[in-house]
Amino acid sequence: DQQVKQNSPSLSVQEGRISILNCDYTNSMFDYFLWYKKYPAEGPTFLISISSIKDKNEDGRFTVFLNKSAKHLSLHIVPSQPGDSAVYFCAASAQSGNEKLTFGTGTRLTIIP
Amino acid sequence: DTGVSQDPRHKITKRGQNVTFRCDPISEHNRLYWYRQTLGQGPEFLTYFQNEAQLEKSRLLSDRFSAERPKGSFSTLEIQRTEQGDSAMYLCASSWYEGEQFFGPGTRLTVL
């Protein structure tokens, strides 16, 4: 039972354009959502998070949007840079991010110079 | 470097052998988590500690797996009688009461 789903295994975007990564979840108990970025042979690196009391959180080039009624969140990266090429994981937890995280299967983002 | 560290980074073992991995969290973090990641999947939760207390274990953690966190500092994850299905990346993360989890580089286990 995949409670967090990333339906796009890969995405290619031109440098300078916007990258949009999507994530859906099924568990209504999830109240905290995070995006992690992973390079090969490294552990996931935290990017940005959002609590269920908000619908948007922005940090520099990264913005996360949460649509609770649709159980959907998205990560926007603008402008996209070559260094953004990595695998992006969406994760969710049921208690403010300090309980176990449930991850999606990841989306491989490739930025084309 | 004050991030999460894991040792060893790579481990190759024969089926049936026991292996032990170590994780050193960020020093002020009181929570420590273990996850497992296989090819094409996201990390899957195994267990977590608050200080020295193990608060939750996933059903993925069979009787062959045991984790400890003596004195609430570093943690060890031991796998007894390894099987080929145990081959994976084992990730450790730590966090403070309020905040996101920070991950280490992982230990890649290959069981031959």
Side-chain angles (χ1 to χ4, degrees):
Chain A
D1 176 27
Q2 194 74 26
Q3 298 185 65
V4 177
K5 301 177 185 179
Q6 293 178 257
N7 292 320
S8 298
S10 62
L11 176 68
S12 294
V13 174
Q14 206 78 28
E15 180 179 359
R17 305 292 291 268
I18 183 171
S19 295
I20 300 175
L21 295 95
N22 294 302
C23 177
D24 297 290
Y25 62 97
T26 58
N27 189 338
S28 300
M29 298 300 292
F30 289 149
D31 62 359
Y32 194 72
F33 304 90
L34 309 90
W35 284 94
Y36 283 84
K37 172 181 180 180
K38 188 177 185 304
Y39 293 118
E42 294 183 11
T45 301
F46 170 76
L47 271 179
I48 192 168
S49 62
I50 188 166
S51 164
S52 60
I53 62 172
K54 294 185 174 182
D55 53 18
K56 177 183 175 181
N57 189 26
E58 191 171 354
D59 183 2
R61 296 186 299 114
F62 302 92
T63 303
V64 56
F65 296 91
L66 175 62
N67 182 335
K68 289 184 288 296
S69 61
K71 294 190 176 65
H72 176 83
L73 63 155
S74 61
L75 174 68
H76 292 210
I77 306 172
V78 56
S80 300
Q81 299 174 354
D84 296 330
S85 295
V87 178
Y88 289 76
F89 290 98
C90 171
S93 74
Q95 189 172 328
S96 300
N98 278 310
E99 300 297 328
K100 62 184 179 183
L101 295 178
T102 301
F103 284 84
T105 52
T107 296
R108 180 177 301 278
L109 176 65
T110 302
I111 305 302
I112 304 164
Chain B
D1 185 88
T2 57
V4 178
S5 61
Q6 293 186 245
D7 184 69
R9 295 290 306 274
H10 303 274
K11 179 69 177 180
I12 300 174
T13 190
K14 292 183 179 179
R15 189 174 53 187
Q17 298 294 304
N18 299 344
V19 295
T20 300
F21 309 140
R22 176 178 170 126
C23 170
D24 288 271
I26 294 171
S27 59
E28 62 268 24
H29 285 178
N30 66 332
R31 289 196 174 191
L32 186 148
Y33 306 79
W34 285 98
Y35 292 84
R36 181 173 70 185
Q37 184 177 18
T38 52
L39 198 63
Q41 300 296 316
E44 294 175 291
F45 170 78
L46 293 178
T47 187
Y48 90 95
F49 295 83
Q50 181 165 303
N51 299 313
E52 65 274 8
Q54 189 173 17
L55 296 186
E56 186 174 349
K57 293 195 295 185
S58 163
R59 59 178 182 271
L60 291 176
L61 217 63
S62 76
D63 292 344
R64 297 184 297 105
F65 289 70
S66 63
E68 295 182 343
R69 193 184 182 197
K71 303 178 184 178
S73 55
F74 71 92
S75 175
T76 58
L77 177 68
E78 180 184 16
I79 309 174
Q80 296 182 327
R81 304 182 303 281
T82 53
E83 302 173 355
Q84 288 185 326
D86 298 330
S87 295
M89 174 75 82
Y90 290 83
L91 294 162
C92 175
S94 70
S95 71
W96 186 233
Y97 284 115
E98 300 291 332
E100 60 275 359
Q101 296 179 24
F102 292 88
F103 283 81
T107 294
R108 179 166 296 285
L109 173 66
T110 302
V111 181
L112 301 176

